[in-house]
Amino acid sequence: MSMPTFPQIEPPLTREGSLNEIIASIAAEELSLSHILNAEGEKLQYVLGTLPGLGEAAAFDEVMRVNQSVQDTLSDIMEQQMLLASKLSAAMNAPILAGPTGPTGPTGAAGPAEGAAGPTGPTGPTGADGPVGAEGAAGAAGAAGPAGLQGPAGATGADGAPGAAGAVGPTGATGATGATGPTGADGAAGATGPTGPTGPDGAAGLAGATGAAGATGATGATGATGATGASGPNPTSTAAFAANTQGSTVLVALGGSPIPLPNAQVLSPDITANAGNTVFTVATAGTYQISYHVNTTLSLLMGTRLVINGVNNTASTIAPVVSTSHFENQIKVTLPANSTVTLQLYPAAIAGTAILVGGGAGASLTIIRLS
């Protein structure tokens, strides 16, 4: 068997040109996938009667068959999208090959034989002091100096002690008695003195004799037994369980998308599901325990939560900061009568697609009334 031959491409493709051709082919495939998605959307619009051309409204089973066909096509498109993403990543991360080694350049000119003198090094530290020498012999005594100047005069001395007192003179004559002055007004009354202390209590009197006990009265007749009250509701009689085991594909919009739970349903009479098995209505008011599980085939940067009466429940929300494929949570909440509960997937940043695990618990919801 001869070796296969390939047509000659002019001009010949380089490595960079080949990578550009691969990226261009990926872009063309992405464009064709967008046309397929548009065609699938128009198919649904045609069946639902929002596009002209349908003679009469399609039956419910026909709409469901078309919906299943669109869902299968979307699953195939998602697989193709993952292959294109892998191919684009490989093309963008392809290593750039080094070119051939160039010729050796000429040898440079020889430098001078002797380099310039280096700078003078720093001065070394001063050495330690030597030991102290022996004390020399005492010199000869000097000649006597001249006499000093005369000092200042001393301070004046203290005064002497006083002399003795002179003799007392004679007593003078007594003067005449003056007239008596008028009587002064009476003084104000003095303050009342404090009250004397209270005397001690007198001795307690003797206790009187205890009277005789009275006769016991006759026992009254027993009253009639009241009627038994009606039995209260059994908290555990209100409960529901629903799951998705068929591996559904959920198109997750920016505002969040409900997860259908059509399988393994066990619902008490006062809990009902809508036609799409996404909204569960609880007729009886009370305190409920609600738990859920969601398992996807791939790790996704998405979150899950419960929507109760049209409001996102914060305590039930799981908002991971890294991609994950398993979500579970449990809350206790008080529900008024005829409350609605929906399990929802929502994107962290952009819309996307989540594929639930098939053949097992891809998603489940449990509602139990506690009181």
Side-chain angles (χ1 to χ4, degrees):
M1 180 181 295
S2 61
M3 297 295 290
T5 59
F6 298 95
Q8 184 68 29
I9 299 176
E10 293 294 339
L13 286 176
T14 63
R15 175 181 177 80
E16 292 76 9
S18 299
L19 292 176
N20 290 336
E21 292 291 337
I22 292 173
I23 295 174
S25 69
I26 293 173
E29 288 190 67
E30 292 284 3
L31 181 61
S32 65
L33 290 179
S34 68
H35 286 296
I36 294 174
L37 287 173
N38 182 63
E40 292 300 309
E42 292 181 348
K43 183 195 295 184
L44 282 177
Q45 290 177 315
Y46 179 79
V47 172
L48 295 175
T50 58
L51 287 180
L54 186 62
E56 58 184 18
F60 178 74
D61 58 338
E62 293 174 332
V63 174
M64 294 306 296
R65 284 198 299 274
V66 171
N67 182 69
Q68 184 62 44
S69 172
V70 172
Q71 182 172 334
D72 293 342
T73 302
L74 290 178
S75 296
D76 294 339
I77 290 175
M78 288 303 300
E79 293 178 3
Q80 183 65 22
Q81 183 64 31
M82 287 188 286
L83 290 175
L84 291 178
S86 176
K87 184 190 296 185
L88 179 61
S89 176
M92 297 300 293
N93 296 321
I96 299 176
L97 300 179
T101 304
T104 303
T107 303
E114 183 176 353
T120 303
T123 304
T126 303
D129 295 335
V132 179
E135 186 176 354
L149 299 175
Q150 181 177 357
T156 303
D159 294 336
V168 177
T171 302
T174 301
T177 302
T180 302
T183 303
D186 294 336
T192 304
T195 303
T198 304
D201 295 334
L206 298 175
T210 303
T216 303
T219 303
T222 303
T225 304
T228 303
S231 299
N234 182 5
T236 58
S237 65
T238 299
F241 175 80
N244 187 314
T245 60
Q246 58 195 31
S248 299
T249 298
V250 181
L251 300 178
V252 184
L254 290 178
S257 298
I259 301 175
L261 302 168
N263 310 120
Q265 290 186 353
V266 179
L267 309 177
S268 60
D270 52 353
I271 298 181
T272 57
N274 68 343
N277 296 297
T278 56
V279 180
F280 294 83
T281 301
V282 181
T284 305
T287 301
Y288 286 80
Q289 177 176 294
I290 306 177
S291 60
Y292 68 83
H293 294 76
V294 178
N295 298 293
T296 59
T297 57
L298 297 174
S299 294
L300 306 171
L301 190 57
M302 294 185 179
T304 55
R305 62 193 173 199
L306 294 173
V307 180
I308 300 176
N309 294 323
V311 179
N312 299 332
N313 184 274
T314 303
S316 69
T317 301
I318 297 177
V321 296
V322 296
S323 299
T324 182
S325 62
H326 178 69
F327 308 81
E328 64 174 313
N329 203 348
Q330 175 178 290
I331 64 170
K332 290 182 181 179
V333 63
T334 300
L335 299 180
N338 298 317
S339 293
T340 58
V341 180
T342 299
L343 178 58
Q344 189 184 85
L345 269 167
Y346 71 93
I350 59 174
T353 301
I355 303 176
L356 303 179
V357 173
S364 66
L365 175 68
T366 302
I367 305 174
I368 301 175
R369 182 168 174 243
L370 302 177
S371 62

